[in-house]
Amino acid sequence: MDMPGAEQLPAQDDMIAVIGMSCRLPKAPDLDAFWQLLRSGGDAITRVPADREEIGRPRAGEALPGTAFGGYLESVDRFDAEFFGISPREAVAMDPQQRLVLELSWEALEDAGIVPGDVRGDRIGVFIGANRDDYAALLRGRGTDAVTAHSNTGLQRGMIANRVSYALGLNGPSMTVDTAQSSSLVAVHLACESLRRGECTSALVGGVKLSISQETAAEEAKFGGLSPDGRCFTFDERANGYARGEGGGVLVLKPLASALAAGDPVYCVIRGSAVNSDGASDGLTVPSSAAQEAVIRRAHQLADLRPADVQYVELHGTGTRVGDPVEAAALGATLGRDRREHGPLAVGSVKTNIGHLESAAGIAGFLKVALAIRRRELPPSLNFREPNPQIPLDELNLRVQTRTTPWPQADRPLIAGVSSFGMGGTNCHVVVGEAPAPERSAAPEAGAGLESSGPVAWVLSARSGAALAAQAGRLAEFVTARPEVPVKDLAFSLAVTRTTAFSHRLAVVGQGREELLEGLSAAAVGGAVAGVVSGTGGDGRVGVVFSGQGSQRVGMGLGLYEVFPVFARAFDEVCAGLEGLLPGSLREVIAGGGVELDQTVFAQAGLFAVQVALFRLWSSWGVVPQCVA
């Protein structure tokens, strides 16, 4: 195989960092739940839920094999339209896939430490894979009476990406990608290319698919793709089709050099990717091993890697009689056979956990790999007992990952491939690796007090009182489950990386974890305890009032003086300016001058010095007042 060798990472200019992620997957409403499902070998396939039972119901006495099972989300009909400034009537006309991607995009930005309101007008791209419009089919089936003024924008697939760009005010490229089952991984490839060309500075990229139409289920069943058992038996002798799944995921991508310069958290890096087509294969939906070989080979050439450098591949892995042997042969030819001295290549498929998400399948596999790199563990692929007789694993030098283990060769850079193939022949392979260790740098002055003693404030905001209480409850659960998280790090993240200017606001102030948790728990149920302050804000404008005489006290501001250099410099500047104008040293009087501080000349001068220093400190944190009194 003609691949250049590489122990070192290729140039950072070519690599793309994943700095934020979000997901909504079967039995996994967030990233932590998804990882626990994967690591524990969880199976999210169930019978069709009661609110969508017609999907699996036979029509006119004709059974629909495989439609009685699947991986499903809860409450796909629910959406906080007001949060995104959408009217109830428009929300009803919107494809739930639009609504889900809006939520996932917001969550992914927050996961990246980006306040969504701060990126308005930025050159951020949006690339979303989607290939189904079940909701449009349902509404159109009702006839013209169901059509409203919002149907045109609510039901077009192209609007899934455009809706995000509009809602967040993003000015980069915005497109919905449809290459059938490979849509979301092709979207990742397109986003990376756009970033490298400088079309956008960062990108939101992902995929979505919801199963809400009986007709779509019937199409897949009559095509012959569904497993009657409702399971994906990837690479197994029992392989007989795939299980249906639904959900979505979104990544935040950024050039690695830019991410490292900004100090962004990095889950992993995209080192290379490639897309091609089967062309004229044995049939429109019959995969081509030669084309799959070519796309895998090309992706690894662009990533500057040898077969021996790759430790794991997340398969397309649908569990079909035709597709699995073709994919195995391509992997063996490109990666397996040329790495025999390093042992067999580990492979697996997330479809065994959550089903086949079609247009969102590639992003689900990517999320699995990104989390596995972050956690430095490989989770198991389910439903593997005996290999498909058409897949000679030993000859191909492949092995199915059947239990949770550390990464093989974990002392080397962690490298994985992710494959996704569309039924019409559009193939995509992405090479993913761990990020280089960031260079240590001095902490910014604004964070210099994070390790200091004293009370801490946890701040929350929401668009309604109910949402604020729910947010307090979720934060309490988060903190309770993670005793290792420093309370001051959390305070910093809540204040700096989350939206704090929604109309309903809450601050919980306490000396330590237990006191803060007590306040959060009370706020979650509408209770009132010391240290909890809540209220409603206006339009976000800030006013600063310098108080008059009467609030002075001995030692005021000296704790801040020791912790924050910005405060100290401003305080020193005022004291120096007053030197010789007062009957004594202002600094000494504030430090312990007793009754002298109550003398008008020292009280007003001292308050002025402390309040100017406070103003400079808040300004260094980005607090810009519209008026000062």
Side-chain angles (χ1 to χ4, degrees):
M1 180 177 181
D2 184 23
M3 283 188 186
E7 284 293 338
Q8 302 299 318
L9 296 171
Q12 289 184 3
D13 289 346
D14 295 328
M15 289 194 286
I16 304 298
V18 179
I19 64 171
M21 305 195 303
S22 65
C23 71
R24 206 73 53 78
L25 298 167
K27 292 190 180 178
D30 54 41
L31 294 171
D32 285 342
F34 186 40
W35 177 248
Q36 290 307 314
L37 178 80
L38 294 171
R39 191 182 187 281
S40 64
D43 183 350
I45 304 300
T46 64
R47 286 197 168 271
V48 177
D51 61 348
R52 283 186 270 178
E53 61 183 356
E54 72 280 356
I55 291 175
R57 185 184 302 149
R59 277 180 177 248
E62 182 182 2
L64 299 173
T67 59
F69 301 93
Y72 291 93
L73 306 185
E74 296 181 2
S75 306
V76 295
D77 58 325
R78 297 184 182 179
F79 176 63
D80 189 350
E82 184 181 0
F83 182 89
F84 292 100
I86 296 171
S87 71
R89 287 187 178 183
E90 185 171 11
V92 169
M94 285 170 59
D95 186 336
Q97 294 179 131
Q98 286 190 31
R99 307 193 306 232
L100 180 56
V101 171
L102 276 175
E103 294 172 348
L104 290 171
S105 298
W106 186 281
E107 292 168 13
L109 286 172
E110 286 196 330
D111 186 62
I114 297 170
V115 178
D118 290 349
V119 296
R120 187 166 293 275
D122 287 0
R123 207 155 33 88
I124 297 175
V126 181
F127 303 79
I128 302 297
N131 76 316
R132 294 287 186 183
D133 32 26
D134 287 12
Y135 193 67
L138 288 175
L139 287 188
R140 287 168 183 154
R142 293 182 172 184
T144 56
D145 288 345
V147 176
T148 73
H150 301 295
S151 297
N152 199 27
T153 54
L155 302 180
Q156 292 190 49
R157 274 209 303 275
M159 288 291 176
I160 296 175
N162 298 163
R163 181 77 69 171
V164 174
S165 299
Y166 172 76
L168 300 179
L170 310 179
N171 293 126
S174 182
M175 63 188 74
T176 303
V177 179
D178 183 0
T179 59
Q181 290 76 10
S182 58
S183 299
S184 57
L185 205 63
V186 171
V188 171
H189 170 79
L190 294 175
C192 291
E193 292 301 302
S194 182
L195 286 165
R196 292 187 182 109
R197 288 193 300 268
E199 292 176 341
C200 50
T201 55
S202 56
L204 289 163
V205 57
V208 65
K209 182 250 184 168
L210 293 177
S211 303
I212 54 179
S213 163
Q214 188 177 30
E215 284 70 23
T216 299
E219 285 175 14
E220 295 179 46
K222 293 185 178 183
F223 173 72
L226 298 185
S227 164
D229 305 285
R231 295 294 185 279
C232 288
F233 297 104
T234 302
F235 279 23
D236 190 84
E237 63 176 353
R238 296 166 292 169
N240 58 1
Y242 61 86
R244 304 184 80 222
E246 68 174 7
V250 169
L251 314 174
V252 183
L253 304 184
K254 194 174 186 179
L256 178 60
S258 298
L260 294 178
D264 294 322
V266 180
Y267 281 95
C268 59
V269 294
I270 298 169
R271 299 183 54 163
S273 62
V275 172
N276 73 0
S277 173
D278 288 345
S281 63
D282 292 339
L284 176 62
T285 63
V286 177
S288 163
S289 185
Q292 291 182 16
E293 281 186 41
V295 81
I296 294 169
R297 195 182 305 274
R298 178 62 177 161
H300 285 84
Q301 286 174 340
L302 292 170
D304 197 20
L305 289 169
R306 303 171 304 183
D309 297 324
V310 185
Q311 296 124 316
Y312 174 78
V313 169
E314 175 65 18
L315 303 165
H316 182 62
T318 53
T320 59
R321 280 287 177 185
V322 174
D324 281 7
V326 169
E327 182 172 11
L331 272 179
T334 51
L335 299 179
R337 292 193 176 108
D338 291 336
R339 49 169 290 121
R340 291 199 177 277
E341 69 274 19
H342 298 283
L345 175 67
V347 299
S349 173
V350 74
K351 294 176 179 66
T352 62
N353 303 92
I354 60 175
H356 189 353
L357 272 62
E358 298 189 55
S359 52
I363 208 68
F366 189 102
L367 287 165
K368 173 184 172 181
V369 166
L371 291 172
I373 288 174
R374 166 65 72 89
R375 306 280 184 155
R376 304 189 73 82
E377 287 186 318
L378 284 178
S381 190
L382 309 185
N383 307 328
F384 182 79
R385 188 176 61 195
E386 292 291 336
N388 185 324
Q390 298 181 61
I391 302 177
L393 290 177
D394 291 341
E395 180 184 332
L396 298 171
N397 202 31
L398 306 175
R399 69 169 178 85
V400 177
Q401 178 77 16
T402 57
R403 58 192 179 91
T404 300
T405 67
W407 278 69
Q409 303 169 308
D411 57 329
R412 302 171 63 188
L414 304 187
I415 303 293
V418 184
S419 290
S420 193
F421 309 133
M423 67 185 295
T426 301
N427 308 307
C428 184
H429 189 84
V430 176
V431 183
V432 187
E434 67 177 313
E439 295 181 6
R440 294 190 176 275
S441 59
E445 290 181 348
L450 291 179
E451 299 305 322
S452 66
S453 60
V456 168
W458 286 348
V459 294
L460 302 173
S461 76
R463 292 196 187 276
S464 70
L468 188 64
Q471 196 176 143
R474 288 195 301 273
L475 183 59
E477 292 174 2
F478 176 90
V479 174
T480 301
R482 294 167 179 78
E484 76 281 1
V485 175
V487 295
K488 293 180 180 180
D489 286 359
L490 185 56
F492 179 83
S493 295
L494 289 169
V496 175
T497 70
R498 292 294 184 270
T499 302
T500 57
F502 289 136
S503 56
H504 292 260
R505 302 170 190 175
L506 172 73
V508 180
V509 182
Q511 286 283 353
R513 182 179 303 274
E514 295 307 316
E515 194 172 333
L516 288 158
L517 269 175
E518 180 184 353
L520 272 182
S521 301
V525 296
V529 296
V532 176
V533 181
S534 62
T536 56
D539 57 10
R541 291 185 294 176
V542 176
V544 172
V545 177
F546 283 71
S547 65
Q549 190 172 342
S551 58
Q552 70 274 5
R553 61 178 176 81
V554 172
M556 60 182 180
L558 296 186
L560 295 173
Y561 185 95
E562 295 298 327
V563 171
F564 295 107
V566 170
F567 183 97
R569 283 197 298 270
F571 183 83
D572 287 343
E573 185 180 355
V574 174
C575 288
L578 294 174
E579 191 73 32
L581 301 178
L582 302 176
S585 167
L586 179 59
R587 183 191 308 279
E588 292 177 6
V589 170
I590 291 176
V595 295
E596 287 186 273
L597 187 57
D598 288 333
Q599 296 179 12
T600 297
V601 64
F602 284 117
Q604 294 193 353
L607 287 170
F608 178 74
V610 169
Q611 290 177 97
V612 166
L614 273 173
F615 182 87
R616 299 299 182 208
L617 179 60
W618 289 334
S619 296
S620 74
W621 291 338
V623 178
V624 180
Q626 276 68 53
C627 60
V628 176

